[in-house]
Amino acid sequence: MKTMAVEELQVLKEKNPLLAIDAIVQRHNADPGSAIPILQDIQNTFGYVAPEVLQRVSELSGILESELYSIVTFYSQFRMEPIGENLIQVCHGTACHLAGAERVSEAIMHETGAKDGGTSPDGKFTLEKVACLGCCSLAPVITVNEETYGRVAPNEVGKVLKEINGQTEDKKAGCKGGCHHE
Ligand code: FES
């Protein structure tokens, strides 16, 4: 059976999520060493790795379900619940940590009701802690939907989130040229 391209997996997911899981495992030839690539493909296709799919992956690949579960919970790149409308990443690298990243995270949790690593009750915001984003001179740094905001003060978080709420398009901009800062 030929392996499926990412786009084909997306189409298959809409039609039949279970078949998409099967195709992903097949893509990696059910090799026990492919646990991480399989889980990455699942997250790329579905946006997260639902705990329920681990059993299916285990049956098809022969990889122990407990091993899959350990990987998903150990590596911060994996999410076990759907992402909210907006993804906020707060850098907790050294420079940002020293510049008050913890207080920024707390302010975001307070504003949105999302727990660290979780999604707000209204489904609008998912909050994640990440390692250095490469804009240390702008610490503390957050990204919202891949757009970068630098020198974020905890008391400015509400303003930033309001702005984000109003604009969901135009999500491009990395650290180069896309940073929002005073
Ligand atoms: S430590 Fe936050 S951008 Fe480098």
Side-chain angles (χ1 to χ4, degrees):
M1 180 185 175
K2 88 178 177 69
T3 58
M4 285 200 164
V6 177
E7 302 73 30
E8 290 176 296
L9 284 172
Q10 289 290 350
V11 174
L12 187 57
K13 174 197 87 174
E14 299 302 331
K15 287 191 195 151
N16 188 330
L18 266 188
L19 285 182
I21 300 284
D22 296 0
I24 287 169
V25 177
Q26 191 103 39
R27 214 169 174 228
H28 296 280
N29 297 321
D31 174 359
S34 299
I36 291 179
I38 289 172
L39 294 169
Q40 283 169 332
D41 272 4
I42 290 174
Q43 179 153 296
N44 290 340
T45 305
F46 292 87
Y48 69 111
V49 182
E52 304 77 52
V53 309
L54 298 182
Q55 189 186 351
R56 179 85 181 167
V57 173
S58 175
E59 284 165 9
L60 295 170
S61 66
I63 304 167
L64 288 176
E65 193 178 343
S66 57
E67 189 186 330
L68 294 166
Y69 188 81
S70 304
I71 292 170
V72 175
T73 50
F74 180 78
Y75 291 102
S76 58
Q77 64 173 293
F78 293 115
R79 280 179 220 107
M80 295 189 84
E81 54 179 44
I83 199 166
E85 276 171 47
N86 301 287
L87 175 63
I88 307 173
Q89 295 183 310
V90 181
C91 176
H92 281 256
T94 307
C96 290
H97 180 72
L98 293 173
E102 203 58 55
R103 289 197 304 280
V104 172
S105 276
E106 279 165 14
I108 294 169
M109 287 190 263
H110 179 76
E111 283 287 335
T112 63
K115 291 195 185 122
D116 211 357
T119 299
S120 58
D122 61 6
K124 287 201 184 247
F125 295 100
T126 295
L127 176 61
E128 277 184 359
K129 237 180 217 181
V130 292
C132 180
L133 290 164
C135 318
C136 307
S137 61
L138 298 175
V141 178
I142 69 171
T143 68
V144 186
N145 304 329
E146 294 177 23
E147 191 158 1
T148 306
Y149 294 76
R151 298 192 187 116
V152 178
N155 61 5
E156 285 176 349
V157 161
K159 193 178 102 191
V160 171
L161 296 182
K162 228 177 240 163
E163 189 185 318
I164 283 35
N165 232 344
Q167 47 143 20
T168 44
E169 300 293 301
D170 213 317
K171 296 184 178 174
K172 279 195 200 144
C175 294
K176 290 177 198 143
C179 294
H180 288 240
H181 57 93
E182 304 299 315

